[in-house]
Amino acid sequence: MKSQLRTWLAVLLAGFCLTTLTAQAAPEAGRDYRVIEPAQSTEDPGRIEVVEVFSYACPHCNDLNPLIHKWAAKLPRDVYFKRIPANFNPFYGLMARLFYTLDTTGDLDRLDAEVFSAIHQKGLKLVSEKAIADWAVSQGVDAQRFSEAWNSFSVASKVKRADEAARKYGIQGVPAIIVDGRYQVGGKSFEEMLKLTDQVIDMRRAERSGKAAGAAKK
């Protein structure tokens, strides 16, 4: 009888500890994430949006880039990842324009990491339109296509919208991760930031499910 009681108490205690650990692991507002008010709209309301606000000019974004791409490749189907270039100053503005220009010419996937490398590893001074265009051409981008995209209304509009989005998010620095237009994720390291992003995604998924269940009962 005593043996059974000890076994029951051990199971109960283990369950209590597991519950406590789970509760402690839950992300906390003000510590693990910041609430964005008002919440911002997303491109696809049917899925959870994760946005990285970044800049090629930012050394921390350079360090995060390979990690976040590896992380994003494993996201579940109900989550999608996108990037928005910051436009805090003239250099960042040039880099934002470069991002959307390469996207327009179809060279972004091929040259994304190369832009970071050119600035942070090779020390190239991509601080003018000519320097940027010369570098892009040296990487195999058609000069005319690059120039047309760089000077297009479409690219200018995308840079402007990205700047407006970052302002509405209340971004003070980069890199920054935004979950579903509602939460900016914290973290003391890149690894912690990505782990917290997973947790905030789970939290947002639960919020969505709760709203859907509530609507179904009405």
mmCIF file of all heavy atoms in Angstrom, residues 1-9:
data_model
loop_
_atom_site.group_PDB
_atom_site.id
_atom_site.type_symbol
_atom_site.label_atom_id
_atom_site.label_comp_id
_atom_site.label_asym_id
_atom_site.label_seq_id
_atom_site.Cartn_x
_atom_site.Cartn_y
_atom_site.Cartn_z
ATOM 1 N N MET A 1 0.829 -1.199 0.000
ATOM 2 C CA MET A 1 0.000 0.000 0.000
ATOM 3 C C MET A 1 0.868 1.256 0.000
ATOM 4 O O MET A 1 0.651 2.201 -0.739
ATOM 5 C CB MET A 1 -0.914 -0.006 1.237
ATOM 6 C CG MET A 1 -1.923 1.141 1.243
ATOM 7 S SD MET A 1 -3.157 0.973 -0.057
ATOM 8 C CE MET A 1 -4.194 2.386 0.310
ATOM 9 N N LYS A 2 1.913 1.258 0.908
ATOM 10 C CA LYS A 2 2.812 2.396 0.967
ATOM 11 C C LYS A 2 3.561 2.568 -0.344
ATOM 12 O O LYS A 2 3.826 3.686 -0.785
ATOM 13 C CB LYS A 2 3.797 2.208 2.120
ATOM 14 C CG LYS A 2 3.164 2.335 3.502
ATOM 15 C CD LYS A 2 4.215 2.214 4.576
ATOM 16 C CE LYS A 2 3.596 2.366 5.957
ATOM 17 N NZ LYS A 2 4.627 2.250 7.027
ATOM 18 N N SER A 3 3.908 1.434 -0.978
ATOM 19 C CA SER A 3 4.624 1.491 -2.252
ATOM 20 C C SER A 3 3.764 2.137 -3.322
ATOM 21 O O SER A 3 4.242 2.957 -4.108
ATOM 22 C CB SER A 3 5.030 0.073 -2.683
ATOM 23 O OG SER A 3 5.641 0.103 -3.948
ATOM 24 N N GLN A 4 2.473 1.759 -3.340
ATOM 25 C CA GLN A 4 1.561 2.348 -4.324
ATOM 26 C C GLN A 4 1.381 3.839 -4.068
ATOM 27 O O GLN A 4 1.303 4.641 -5.002
ATOM 28 C CB GLN A 4 0.212 1.635 -4.246
ATOM 29 C CG GLN A 4 0.225 0.201 -4.764
ATOM 30 C CD GLN A 4 -1.125 -0.465 -4.619
ATOM 31 O OE1 GLN A 4 -1.944 -0.029 -3.825
ATOM 32 N NE2 GLN A 4 -1.332 -1.510 -5.405
ATOM 33 N N LEU A 5 1.326 4.224 -2.780
ATOM 34 C CA LEU A 5 1.162 5.634 -2.429
ATOM 35 C C LEU A 5 2.374 6.437 -2.873
ATOM 36 O O LEU A 5 2.233 7.535 -3.421
ATOM 37 C CB LEU A 5 0.965 5.767 -0.916
ATOM 38 C CG LEU A 5 0.752 7.210 -0.394
ATOM 39 C CD1 LEU A 5 -0.483 7.832 -1.042
ATOM 40 C CD2 LEU A 5 0.615 7.186 1.124
ATOM 41 N N ARG A 6 3.568 5.859 -2.656
ATOM 42 C CA ARG A 6 4.784 6.566 -3.062
ATOM 43 C C ARG A 6 4.827 6.729 -4.568
ATOM 44 O O ARG A 6 5.222 7.768 -5.090
ATOM 45 C CB ARG A 6 6.031 5.806 -2.563
ATOM 46 C CG ARG A 6 6.309 5.967 -1.073
ATOM 47 C CD ARG A 6 7.731 5.540 -0.760
ATOM 48 N NE ARG A 6 7.926 4.116 -1.027
ATOM 49 C CZ ARG A 6 7.738 3.182 -0.112
ATOM 50 N NH1 ARG A 6 7.359 3.512 1.119
ATOM 51 N NH2 ARG A 6 7.940 1.911 -0.419
ATOM 52 N N THR A 7 4.397 5.693 -5.289
ATOM 53 C CA THR A 7 4.372 5.759 -6.753
ATOM 54 C C THR A 7 3.399 6.831 -7.229
ATOM 55 O O THR A 7 3.697 7.618 -8.123
ATOM 56 C CB THR A 7 3.959 4.396 -7.349
ATOM 57 O OG1 THR A 7 4.894 3.406 -6.930
ATOM 58 C CG2 THR A 7 3.929 4.466 -8.863
ATOM 59 N N TRP A 8 2.222 6.861 -6.589
ATOM 60 C CA TRP A 8 1.204 7.855 -6.968
ATOM 61 C C TRP A 8 1.703 9.269 -6.706
ATOM 62 O O TRP A 8 1.535 10.180 -7.516
ATOM 63 C CB TRP A 8 -0.069 7.585 -6.169
ATOM 64 C CG TRP A 8 -1.177 8.559 -6.506
ATOM 65 C CD1 TRP A 8 -2.015 8.533 -7.558
ATOM 66 C CD2 TRP A 8 -1.527 9.717 -5.742
ATOM 67 N NE1 TRP A 8 -2.876 9.601 -7.527
ATOM 68 C CE2 TRP A 8 -2.595 10.344 -6.420
ATOM 69 C CE3 TRP A 8 -1.043 10.278 -4.555
ATOM 70 C CZ2 TRP A 8 -3.196 11.512 -5.951
ATOM 71 C CZ3 TRP A 8 -1.641 11.437 -4.107
ATOM 72 C CH2 TRP A 8 -2.705 12.049 -4.790
ATOM 73 N N LEU A 9 2.364 9.472 -5.543
ATOM 74 C CA LEU A 9 2.885 10.788 -5.196
ATOM 75 C C LEU A 9 3.996 11.207 -6.168
ATOM 76 O O LEU A 9 4.105 12.379 -6.549
ATOM 77 C CB LEU A 9 3.423 10.785 -3.761
ATOM 78 C CG LEU A 9 2.369 10.740 -2.650
ATOM 79 C CD1 LEU A 9 3.042 10.568 -1.285
ATOM 80 C CD2 LEU A 9 1.518 12.015 -2.662
#
